[in-house]
Amino acid sequence: MITPSRFFLFSTLLLVFLALTSLSFGAVSLSFLDVINGFFEDSEHYFTIHEYRLPRTLLAIVVGAMMALSGALVQGVIRNPLASPDVLGVSHGAGLAAVLYMTFLPDASTNWLPEVALVGGLLAAIVLWLLCGTSSSAIKLAITGVAMAALYGSAIDFVLLVKPLEVNNALLWLTGSLWGRGWPQLTSLLPWLLLIPLGLGLAKHLNLIDLGDDSAVCLGTKPNIIRLISLATAVGLTASCVAICGPIGFLGLIAPHLTRRLIGGRHQVLLPATLFVGALLLVIADLVARTINPPIELPAGLMTAIIGAPYFLWLLFSLR
Amino acid sequence: MTISTDALTVGYHGTAIVQSVKLTVPHGKITALLGPNGCGKSTLLKAFANILKPMSGDVYWENQPLQELSAKHLSTQLALLPQTQPIPEGIKVKDLVAYGRSPHTGFWGNLSTTDLAIVQSMMVQTNVDELADKLVSELSGGQRQRVWLAMILAQETPYLLLDEPTTYMDINHQVELMHTLRALNNQGKTVVTVLHDINQAARYCDHLIVMKAGVLICQGTPSEVLTTEMLQAVFDLKAQVHKDPVSGTPMCIVED
Ligand SMILES: Nc1ncnc2c1ncn2[C@@H]1O[C@H](COP(=O)(O)OP(=O)(O)O)[C@@H](O)[C@H]1O
Ligand SMILES: [Mg+2]
């Protein structure tokens, strides 16, 4: 474990470095100077930097941070390293709701997509809770969640087959991509950023939940209420991201888990730190996805899945 | 300032385990809860701590039903060491002990210098200060038990409820724990503890409460309670009761 101050210093520097790298590379590579000039309207790279790469990089940072926090909140209250919004099927539930909305109400405003995704995510969480109850084992919860996620995934495929609207666009969205996302998407995400302080505010209570419900009660907290607020916040964070980028797999699982290994389980440090780890991971994933074989862009969700799936399996097998 | 119950019936999922118990915990003393496995000792302690709500009857703290007290207030009055504790991941000993300050800290859980001093002195008192920077998950069972004890001591409550605090401890640490409890008692704390070892209870505790199958059988000083009849009736044990040659308290010796 490393000390929190060292962690935050190092990860801030790394994030700045990666953000600048992300602004430099893509279909065309730009020098550092071009990147700086690109912030100003008279530069020939203004469009590339300001309209295209900057919002996309910012979005990767924000979405990565939100998904990681969402995962940390879920892992915090379920006391289960396998729990995360995507493993539990919340992301795909949100995705299914969004696809149904776009397919059957093609004229409706996409501004409502986050709310629709939120309803889908909440429903998925409730379904899981009905299937498993509150005191399920880690394995049972994970397996049920993965099964539900697969079910929602098939439902999405089915809808896209029978109602092939803009299948290409939807498919791209569903693999979890930041392609073509810009300032409008970033702006629509802003109000949902309020969920971040709400989540961070639970830190003290999440620590106590780690000690078991009996101890938590005796130390003055109400585990059931904290669990409810945490999960609702997590679903909100995930759904608002899914509405914009599609379900970016495994980010909510890996980021908090990695953070816990790096700086420990005290939530006053863990929660803020996981924001950084999530942001870093998604910026890297998006950067790699864009530059691995230009001009073809792979979805960032593919990258996170390539790292995430083996990580998940390793976790599953290392559970006693 | 005391815990009492009146016609208390409590259990799980509609099944009563502890039935119509009426008792008053003697203030300022060390009380041991005794009884065979599964007789409801832990259940009774959880009712004392307002973790389980009574199915009927009431638990009172200072003559007020527990349900009428805020969780926050109660957490400054009663502390509980549960029988089994989960092992939190990636938490250092000093952090865990500091969690015990939660009822006294603010929204973000920041520790004042006073809080830090209390955490340090509780770690010294339970002899875990040398483990301060270790991860809780790397400790032995007995060490972990002492760390948790330090944690609930840091809560600084006048009442301590301990559920089998000597489990996992070697004999040396068990004796040390009993001395720590007496020291805490001398500082004015009231202790209620579940113990497995009847002789240990008779030697180190002031008051014994004996339960069987969820019902209160008898209570009183060790010499009042520890009799061959009681051992036969409650534990189904043929035993003789003698005077401990060192402490003069009663002790039982199994006949067969
Ligand atoms: N969480 C629970 N749910 C259902 N039954 C329980 C639970 N905990 C304990 N019991 C039952 O209550 C009875 C008393 O348990 P407990 O109070 O733990 O006994 P003791 O601490 O005296 O060994 C046992 O029969 C046990 O099976
Ligand atoms: Mg017990």
Side-chain angles (χ1 to χ4, degrees):
Chain A
M1 294 208 306
I2 54 179
T3 64
S5 48
R6 219 176 267 177
F7 171 87
F8 285 112
L9 179 69
F10 183 69
S11 55
T12 309
L13 292 177
L14 193 60
L15 192 57
V16 170
F17 170 76
L18 281 171
L20 288 174
T21 313
S22 167
L23 291 175
S24 319
F25 292 103
V28 284
S29 299
L30 301 177
S31 70
F32 180 68
L33 210 63
D34 289 338
V35 169
I36 301 296
N37 283 332
F39 286 100
F40 303 99
E41 260 176 82
D42 49 4
S43 159
E44 58 171 314
H45 302 298
Y46 179 73
F47 183 81
T48 312
I49 295 296
H50 184 270
E51 289 304 312
Y52 181 66
R53 288 188 192 169
L54 181 62
R56 181 169 173 161
T57 303
L58 289 177
L59 203 60
I61 292 175
V62 172
V63 167
M66 287 171 82
M67 289 211 160
L69 180 60
S70 173
L73 291 173
V74 172
Q75 288 175 9
V77 292
I78 304 193
R79 273 187 233 133
N80 176 347
L82 292 176
S84 79
D86 42 351
V87 170
L88 298 184
V90 170
S91 305
H92 282 88
L96 178 58
V99 167
L100 288 174
Y101 177 78
M102 289 190 291
T103 326
F104 291 99
L105 299 168
D107 300 326
S109 158
T110 51
N111 290 342
W112 289 102
L113 220 43
E115 284 78 6
V116 172
L118 180 66
V119 172
L122 283 174
L123 284 177
I126 291 169
V127 167
L128 188 71
W129 179 69
L130 289 177
L131 286 173
C132 290
T134 43
S135 52
S136 293
S137 73
I139 307 270
K140 181 179 174 193
L141 207 62
I143 290 175
T144 317
V146 168
M148 293 313 293
L151 184 65
Y152 302 138
S154 316
I156 291 173
D157 291 347
F158 179 74
V159 172
L160 292 179
L161 278 175
V162 269
K163 284 247 170 190
L165 70 161
E166 300 175 63
V167 170
N168 279 338
N169 236 341
L171 276 182
L172 190 62
W173 175 78
L174 282 167
T175 45
S177 175
L178 292 161
W179 181 81
R181 308 297 192 278
W183 292 112
Q185 285 80 16
L186 193 58
T187 325
S188 76
L189 204 51
L190 286 183
W192 297 86
L193 288 183
L194 281 177
L195 291 172
I196 291 181
L198 180 63
L200 294 181
L202 295 168
K204 179 178 159 181
H205 297 281
L206 293 178
N207 287 341
L208 302 184
I209 286 195
D210 259 354
L211 307 181
D213 281 10
D214 291 354
S215 294
V217 169
C218 290
L219 288 163
T221 191
K222 297 197 170 68
N224 286 333
I225 293 180
I226 298 301
R227 218 168 271 140
L228 200 65
I229 301 177
S230 265
L231 292 179
T233 310
V235 172
L237 285 164
T238 296
S240 53
C241 292
V242 167
I244 282 163
C245 308
I248 294 185
F250 296 107
L251 199 56
L253 175 84
I254 308 175
H257 201 265
L258 207 56
T259 317
R260 198 179 281 266
R261 301 209 133 204
L262 286 172
I263 48 103
R266 219 176 132 254
H267 286 86
Q268 285 93 332
V269 183
L270 175 70
L271 296 183
T274 206
L275 294 173
F276 279 87
V277 173
L280 283 168
L281 286 178
L282 192 54
V283 171
I284 295 173
D286 183 51
L287 182 65
V288 172
R290 280 190 296 125
T291 52
I292 203 167
N293 188 19
I296 294 171
E297 288 201 6
L298 299 172
L302 196 68
M303 291 297 129
T304 59
I306 287 173
I307 318 168
Y311 197 93
F312 175 71
L313 287 176
W314 171 73
L315 268 180
L316 194 64
F317 286 118
S318 63
L319 273 190
R320 293 160 303 267
Chain B
M1 190 156 58
T2 187
I3 303 173
S4 56
T5 68
D6 190 16
L8 173 70
T9 297
V10 58
Y12 306 90
H13 319 295
T15 313
I17 301 288
V18 169
Q19 289 164 41
S20 337
V21 166
K22 179 175 168 63
L23 59 76
T24 301
V25 171
H27 178 71
K29 300 217 160 126
I30 301 182
T31 298
L33 267 180
L34 303 173
N37 286 335
C39 73
K41 303 176 298 285
S42 300
T43 308
L44 184 63
L45 272 199
K46 284 189 221 169
F48 284 172
N50 205 21
I51 292 165
L52 293 176
K53 313 288 175 228
M55 294 163 71
S56 64
D58 262 313
V59 181
Y60 300 92
W61 170 252
E62 295 180 316
N63 302 318
Q64 256 191 307
L66 283 191
Q67 278 100 316
E68 290 175 15
L69 297 168
S70 77
K72 177 101 184 163
H73 176 65
L74 205 60
S75 65
T76 61
Q77 307 297 311
L78 303 175
L80 170 79
L81 179 75
Q83 183 173 354
T84 52
Q85 303 113 15
I87 303 168
E89 291 275 327
I91 301 292
K92 286 183 182 163
V93 167
K94 60 180 182 194
D95 290 331
L96 187 89
V97 178
Y99 289 175
R101 294 303 296 159
S102 298
H104 308 275
T105 59
F107 172 72
W108 188 247
N110 272 342
L111 299 171
S112 66
T113 44
T114 324
D115 291 322
L116 289 171
I118 291 168
V119 168
Q120 179 60 30
S121 85
M122 297 311 162
M123 287 196 294
V124 171
Q125 181 148 18
T126 60
N127 211 352
V128 294
D129 51 320
E130 279 164 18
L131 305 174
D133 284 303
K134 282 213 162 182
L135 287 176
V136 176
S137 52
E138 291 170 351
L139 304 181
S140 74
Q143 289 174 324
R144 209 175 292 137
Q145 195 91 0
R146 283 184 285 137
V147 169
W148 276 74
L149 185 66
M151 196 267 284
I152 66 160
L153 291 182
Q155 216 175 324
E156 288 210 300
T157 56
Y159 269 59
L160 297 174
L161 309 174
L162 313 175
D163 201 342
E164 301 195 13
T166 50
T167 329
Y168 308 117
M169 287 187 188
D170 56 42
I171 182 96
N172 168 28
H173 281 112
Q174 290 190 17
V175 171
E176 203 170 289
L177 175 81
M178 299 317 290
H179 288 152
T180 306
L181 294 187
R182 181 55 71 190
L184 290 164
N185 175 250
N186 289 336
Q187 293 164 21
K189 290 192 197 290
T190 302
V191 180
V192 182
T193 175
V194 175
L195 288 177
H196 258 313
D197 186 331
I198 298 173
N199 289 335
Q200 211 166 43
R203 174 155 182 187
Y204 295 103
C205 301
D206 305 311
H207 190 85
L208 308 184
I209 296 177
V210 180
M211 293 174 68
K212 186 185 182 184
V215 184
L216 189 113
I217 303 291
C218 60
Q219 56 171 320
T221 62
S223 40
E224 285 165 3
V225 168
L226 198 57
T227 60
T228 46
E229 296 76 32
M230 186 280 283
L231 292 168
Q232 177 67 54
V234 175
F235 292 95
D236 200 14
L237 196 70
K238 269 201 194 343
Q240 302 176 4
V241 176
H242 292 278
K243 217 176 202 198
D244 182 318
V246 177
S247 63
T249 49
M251 62 186 255
C252 71
I253 293 169
V254 181
E255 279 185 355
D256 201 17

